[in-house]
Amino acid sequence: MTADAARVDRPGRRELGLLLRECGVLSSDWTPAFAAVDRAAFLPDLMWPYDLETKASIPVDRREDPDAWYAAADDNVPIVTQWDDGAHQGPGPGKLATSSSSMPSVVYALLKDLEVDDGMRVLDVGTGTGETAGVLSHRLGVGAVTTIEVDPAVSAHAGERLRRLGLYPEVVVGDGFAGHPGRAPFDRIMATVGIREIPRAWIAQTRPGGVILAPWGTLYGNADAMVRLKVTDDATASGRFTRHVEFMKLRAQRGPDPHHGDYMAAGPFDEATPSSTDITEAEFVTGQYTTLPFVLGLRVQKCRQAVADKRDGARPVWFYSLSDLSWACVMFQDGERKAAVWQSGPRRLWDEVADAHRWWRDHGTPDVTRFGLTVTPDGHHVWLDDPARSWAV
């Protein structure tokens, strides 16, 4: 790889810019920042691009294969840059991806949704590689952007890369859940880490009329949806969900990881209550970035779903209560008209899930953009179409 290949005007990078413009996420006001702030300048030598088809993260090392490294940097894919909170060693993937470079199409879609203007002050929660803070700093100028990251090593690397490019946001090491009161109030807060609760600190640190843009979801699964909340002067924030996303979770809000053996010990499979359902696999297992799993999380609270891989024409989907050791399993089988169901414990989890599925279907299978979130001092309330008709989550 020649020195010219590292320049911002690489052919692959030009193709990426064209793709982002064609799909409508790179608007004209962000084009100069895209041209000046190169994603590749923020990536480590060893990284793990995510293959969207195989759902695998494959190591790529610039020192061993620079052509493949730059091709990945210029591709519209997420790239893992840290595993297991930095404890992972070696080229192979670790157990849990804990820092990454988001898909460029997602980054610029969120920046477009943020609707910044000259003179605004922005808090970027989840510095990661530093690219988003760099793009914001290029657009808004010195002193306008604060970026916060919980991992000191990740923050240090990002700060070094930003300074190398002549970009100088305020780089802070700290818990993003607490925001950064020393630089408040902000006109915009944007998070690029998944959360399960909108922090009261963010609302308090946002100017009335300002916006919080964050990936919000439930404990039901890893899926998130971006919510765009407008803050009012009565310590309330409300707004609609804008798009499906999936982000690494804020460390303080990663959520529980149910242990299957604990549930089986409390309620063995052969003692579970059997039944069946007419809901088909195609109706239920809708895949990543679809509305149904998000809605089920809104309607079935304190529950975790686990969709297993299909083997020999059979796919089990498990449900674990997070309030006790109740569990349920539905077994979809190719060629079978009905799916077998087993339920154990005080909660009838499949009944709850099936009722939520029916509710969504009876309301016309609404898309995620018809849902909204209102955060008050009393808690979080989700609504469909009308904020006045909400339910607590």
Side-chain angles (χ1 to χ4, degrees):
M1 178 68 68
T2 66
D4 286 345
R7 293 184 345 200
V8 175
D9 62 350
R10 295 184 305 276
R13 182 164 166 74
R14 291 198 300 272
E15 292 174 8
L16 176 62
L18 179 61
L19 170 67
L20 299 181
R21 286 190 290 273
E22 287 178 345
C23 65
V25 297
L26 181 57
S27 52
S28 59
D29 52 340
W30 286 106
T31 298
F34 173 82
V37 183
D38 184 5
R39 183 193 199 191
F42 293 87
L43 295 170
D45 286 338
L46 176 61
M47 62 186 191
W48 295 265
Y50 184 73
D51 189 310
L52 297 174
E53 293 185 2
T54 65
K55 301 185 184 305
S57 296
I58 308 299
V60 179
D61 195 320
R62 175 163 43 183
R63 295 159 297 191
E64 297 177 0
D65 192 345
D67 289 330
W69 190 93
Y70 278 102
D74 293 335
D75 200 0
N76 188 35
V77 297
I79 298 174
V80 177
T81 55
Q82 185 199 67
W83 296 94
D84 305 323
D85 295 330
H88 170 70
Q89 300 291 328
K95 294 181 180 179
L96 178 67
T98 52
S99 191
S100 71
S101 171
S102 300
M103 292 176 66
S105 59
V106 172
V107 171
Y108 283 91
L110 302 189
L111 291 171
K112 184 178 179 181
D113 289 347
L114 197 62
E115 295 184 359
V116 300
D117 205 350
D118 294 344
M120 285 187 174
R121 295 165 59 86
V122 178
L123 175 63
D124 168 46
V125 179
T127 307
T129 66
E131 181 192 2
T132 303
V135 174
L136 283 165
S137 295
H138 185 277
R139 171 74 185 273
L140 297 174
V142 176
V145 179
T146 302
T147 183
I148 187 166
E149 167 65 47
V150 71
D151 190 306
V154 171
S155 179
H157 291 153
E160 178 184 347
R161 294 162 187 148
L162 286 160
R163 289 189 295 273
R164 191 182 303 160
L165 292 180
L167 299 167
Y168 297 96
E170 182 78 11
V171 180
V172 177
V173 177
D175 182 1
F177 193 79
H180 191 59
R183 299 274 292 179
F186 299 100
D187 299 283
R188 299 286 188 268
I189 293 180
M190 184 173 81
T192 52
V193 287
I195 57 174
R196 299 293 171 253
E197 176 186 350
I198 301 294
R200 298 299 309 169
W202 292 6
I203 297 176
Q205 293 170 29
T206 302
R207 194 186 308 277
V211 168
I212 297 171
L213 186 67
W216 184 92
T218 68
L219 295 173
Y220 187 81
N222 291 327
D224 308 307
M226 291 303 300
V227 66
R228 190 177 192 276
L229 303 173
K230 189 171 183 179
V231 175
T232 62
D233 56 7
D234 63 351
T236 296
S238 187
R240 289 184 180 273
F241 293 97
T242 63
R243 64 186 75 244
H244 293 287
V245 292
E246 186 172 322
F247 279 87
M248 297 171 188
K249 305 305 176 274
L250 192 74
R251 290 191 184 182
Q253 294 195 7
R254 284 178 180 166
D257 184 15
H259 296 286
H260 182 79
D262 294 341
Y263 290 82
M264 293 298 102
F269 202 93
D270 58 3
E271 297 179 8
T273 303
S275 61
S276 64
T277 179
D278 292 327
I279 299 174
T280 67
E281 180 181 357
E283 290 174 315
F284 193 80
V285 184
T286 53
Q288 194 176 27
Y289 306 125
T290 59
T291 298
L292 178 59
F294 182 76
V295 172
L296 295 178
L298 300 179
R299 303 292 298 183
V300 185
Q301 297 177 27
K302 296 183 179 179
C303 176
R304 184 79 173 177
Q305 174 187 273
V307 180
D309 293 334
K310 179 176 285 190
R311 293 184 179 179
D312 299 323
R315 184 196 299 278
V317 181
W318 292 86
F319 308 89
Y320 302 100
S321 171
L322 302 178
S323 58
D324 56 25
L325 289 175
S326 300
W327 62 266
C329 177
V330 56
M331 179 68 76
F332 297 107
Q333 183 79 45
D334 289 350
E336 296 292 334
R337 189 173 62 86
K338 290 180 176 287
V341 175
W342 297 267
Q343 300 185 84
S344 175
R347 293 181 69 180
R348 303 281 88 176
L349 281 179
W350 173 253
D351 293 347
E352 293 183 36
V353 170
D355 285 346
H357 183 275
R358 188 177 305 110
W359 178 91
W360 182 63
R361 186 184 59 207
D362 290 347
H363 282 79
T365 65
D367 180 73
V368 69
T369 56
R370 286 179 56 189
F371 290 86
L373 178 69
T374 298
V375 186
T376 71
D378 296 328
H380 291 55
H381 306 269
V382 172
W383 38 272
L384 173 64
D385 294 329
D386 184 359
R389 301 173 62 184
S390 65
W391 65 92
V393 291

